[in-house]
């Protein structure tokens, strides 16, 4: 099969395309998926660079890629929910057998049936970013009709946070660069601000939830904007916030780091919203697997609007 492999950590140049890679065999609780589309998450290139080697390990080669959409073509002996021919999407939990390949094996419990109204490419854009947004909002005690501030509303996670918060009838303020102000409004944000000329210290609102997808804002600067029991959730831990996170259990205003967990029920919840068109994946660019290096470079640039999808023929 065709797959993009890495044999060492490094720049995008370590991604190598090989056509003679052995198709993996599913274990008892796994299915073999013909991957139709994957997507790029910042975690992919952080692993590729070796930033997360304490969890991704030192064994090579590795096939990267967490998100996938595709078709089940084989099942293990203990698989009971999925069948050959099912169209599925989900997020892998492997650091070495990823979705940048024509086939991969996945634990059955990580996959949901695809929403019928979406393409493989659209579905591949959802799992990691969409579930992160949902779990972050849950961690921030989303109940609905709250005031939500999204720092970084235009990226993979941010586009889902904005839409999910709106789906819960929240009033949403979101930040992005100058080129994404109108886009954020079209996505549903009530108010936007341009981080190149304003910071949170220029805001005078009060927010029940501050969802940070950028990792550049200190909790101390956000705290004055939080309501009495407001919650700050970030996808990116930083040293400056370590004390706030540690003290969080003893404070009414909470400060948390999102730790994404693969939970099928969250993916299935998103599937329902996708089917009702309540939310939709935003796709910035689609690259063929053959251009995986270009896709990584574009993602590393830090200005993706929504998601980058990898199409696999
Ligand atoms: N902890 C977890 O479990 C977890 C889960 C998911 C993701 N993450 C991490 O969360 C981060 C975000 O993920 P992602 O997939 O959303 O990344 P992404 O799609 O690459 O984010 C790109 C977006 O960030 C925006 N941006 C850049 N600098 C900004 C700033 N100073 N203020 C506001 N917006 C800014 C850009 O908007 P402009 O183009 O307008 O600048 C762009 O739309 C990544 O570092 C990822 O690794 C962690």
């Amino acid at each position: 099969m065709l797959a993009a492999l890495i044999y060492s950590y490094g720049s995008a140049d370590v991604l190598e395309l090989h056509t003679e890679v052995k198709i993996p065999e599913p274990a008892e609780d796994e299915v073999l998926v013909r991957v139709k589309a994957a997507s790029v998450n910042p975690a992919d290139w952080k692993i590729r660079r070796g930033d997360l080697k304490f969890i991704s390990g030192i064994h090579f080669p590795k096939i990267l890629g967490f998100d996938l959409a595709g078709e089940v073509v084989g099942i293990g002996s203990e698989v009971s929910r999925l069948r050959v021919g099912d169209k599925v999407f989900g997020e892998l939990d492997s650091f070495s057998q990823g979705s940048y390949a024509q086939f991969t094996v996945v634990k059955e419990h990580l996959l949901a049936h695809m929403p019928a109204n979406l393409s493989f490419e659209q579905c591949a854009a959802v799992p990691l970013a969409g579930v992160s947004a949902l779990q972050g909002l849950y961690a921030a005690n989303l109940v609905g009709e709250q005031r939500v501030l999204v720092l970084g509303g235009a990226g993979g996670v941010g586009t889902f946070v904005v839409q999910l918060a709106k789906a819960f009838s929240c009033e949403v303020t979101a930040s992005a660069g100058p080129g994404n102000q109108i886009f954020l409004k079209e996505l549903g944000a009530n108010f936007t601000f341009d981080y190149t000329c304003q910071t949170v210290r220029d805001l005078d609102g009060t927010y029940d939830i501050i969802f940070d997808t950028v990792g550049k804002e200190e909790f101390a600067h956000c705290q004055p904007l939080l309501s009495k029991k407001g919650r700050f959730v970030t996808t990116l831990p930083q040293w400056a916030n370590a004390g706030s996170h540690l003290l969080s259990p003893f404070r009414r205003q909470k400060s948390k780091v999102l730790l994404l967990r693969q939970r099928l029920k969250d993916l299935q919840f998103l599937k329902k919203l996708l089917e009702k068109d309540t939310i939709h994946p935003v796709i910035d660019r689609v690259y063929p697997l053959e251009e995986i290096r270009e896709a990584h470079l574009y993602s590393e640039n830090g200005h993706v609007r929504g998601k980058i999808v990898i199409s696999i023929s």
Side-chain angles (χ1 to χ4, degrees):
M1 68 170 177
L2 176 71
L5 290 93
I6 62 167
Y7 288 84
S8 63
Y9 292 124
S11 71
D13 289 341
V14 300
L15 287 158
E16 295 179 21
L17 280 169
H18 289 271
T19 51
E20 307 278 302
V21 181
K22 194 169 174 287
I23 296 175
E25 291 202 2
E28 291 90 341
D29 58 348
E30 290 178 336
V31 300
L32 177 65
V33 178
R34 184 194 299 273
V35 184
K36 299 284 192 173
S39 84
V40 175
N41 290 287
D44 300 355
W45 47 259
K46 289 178 188 176
I47 291 170
R48 191 211 69 222
R49 293 196 310 206
D51 298 358
L52 306 175
K53 66 173 87 151
F54 61 95
I55 44 173
S56 55
I58 49 165
H59 296 293
F60 295 97
K62 293 182 190 301
I63 299 175
L64 303 179
F66 290 109
D67 284 336
L68 68 74
E71 201 174 319
V72 175
V73 290
I75 56 171
S77 57
E78 289 172 12
V79 168
S80 56
R81 185 174 51 89
L82 298 177
R83 299 266 179 279
V84 169
D86 285 355
K87 291 179 177 178
V88 291
F89 73 134
E91 184 201 334
L92 304 181
D93 63 354
S94 168
F95 291 100
S96 55
Q97 189 71 61
S99 56
Y100 294 177
Q102 285 176 315
F103 296 89
T104 194
V105 286
V106 194
K107 296 248 184 311
E108 181 187 28
H109 71 88
L110 299 178
L111 295 172
H113 287 104
M114 274 176 41
N117 55 330
L118 261 58
S119 66
F120 288 113
E121 290 173 354
Q122 289 172 311
C123 286
V126 174
L128 194 151
V131 171
S132 297
L134 185 66
Q135 290 184 2
L137 285 166
Y138 285 155
N141 203 20
L142 178 77
V143 288
E145 299 187 358
Q146 293 147 296
R147 297 186 77 193
V148 178
L149 173 62
V150 189
L151 302 177
V157 178
T159 48
F160 283 108
V161 177
V162 170
Q163 294 183 81
L164 287 167
K166 289 304 296 179
F168 280 82
S169 306
C170 294
E171 182 191 279
V172 175
T173 302
S175 71
N180 277 323
Q181 299 298 304
I182 294 171
F183 164 71
L184 285 179
K185 283 274 176 66
E186 287 170 352
L187 197 61
N190 301 84
F191 308 102
T192 66
F193 74 94
D194 175 356
Y195 67 82
T196 63
C197 48
Q198 266 189 300
T199 75
V200 289
R201 278 166 283 183
D202 299 314
L203 303 177
D204 54 9
T206 305
Y207 302 93
D208 305 298
I209 295 172
I210 300 181
F211 197 131
D212 169 37
T213 75
V214 183
K216 289 186 180 155
E217 205 55 72
E218 289 183 30
F219 175 72
H221 297 150
C222 295
Q223 195 175 9
L225 298 176
L226 280 175
S227 58
K228 276 184 189 162
K229 290 186 179 176
R231 294 195 176 190
F232 172 87
V233 173
T234 180
T235 58
L236 289 153
Q238 50 168 312
W239 282 114
N241 289 337
S244 318
H245 298 318
L246 284 172
L247 290 172
S248 184
F250 311 104
R251 287 181 171 157
R252 292 172 78 188
Q253 292 167 317
K254 305 290 184 198
S255 161
K256 297 187 169 192
V257 178
L258 172 71
L259 282 176
L260 176 65
R261 285 182 295 150
Q262 282 107 338
R263 269 204 312 239
L264 183 59
K265 68 173 186 178
D266 290 343
L267 194 58
Q268 287 169 332
F269 179 72
L270 293 179
K271 180 190 166 190
K272 281 188 193 151
L273 298 183
L274 291 160
E275 281 173 337
K276 287 188 212 150
D277 266 340
T278 308
I279 61 168
H280 64 274
V282 175
I283 296 177
D284 185 334
R285 292 187 185 180
V286 179
Y287 290 88
L289 183 59
E290 289 78 359
E291 292 178 22
I292 188 66
R293 288 181 182 176
E294 288 78 0
H296 267 223
L297 290 173
Y298 184 57
S299 177
E300 279 180 85
N301 199 26
H303 295 290
V304 177
R305 178 187 281 181
K307 297 285 303 174
I308 298 173
V309 168
I310 306 299
S311 168
I312 301 173
S313 56

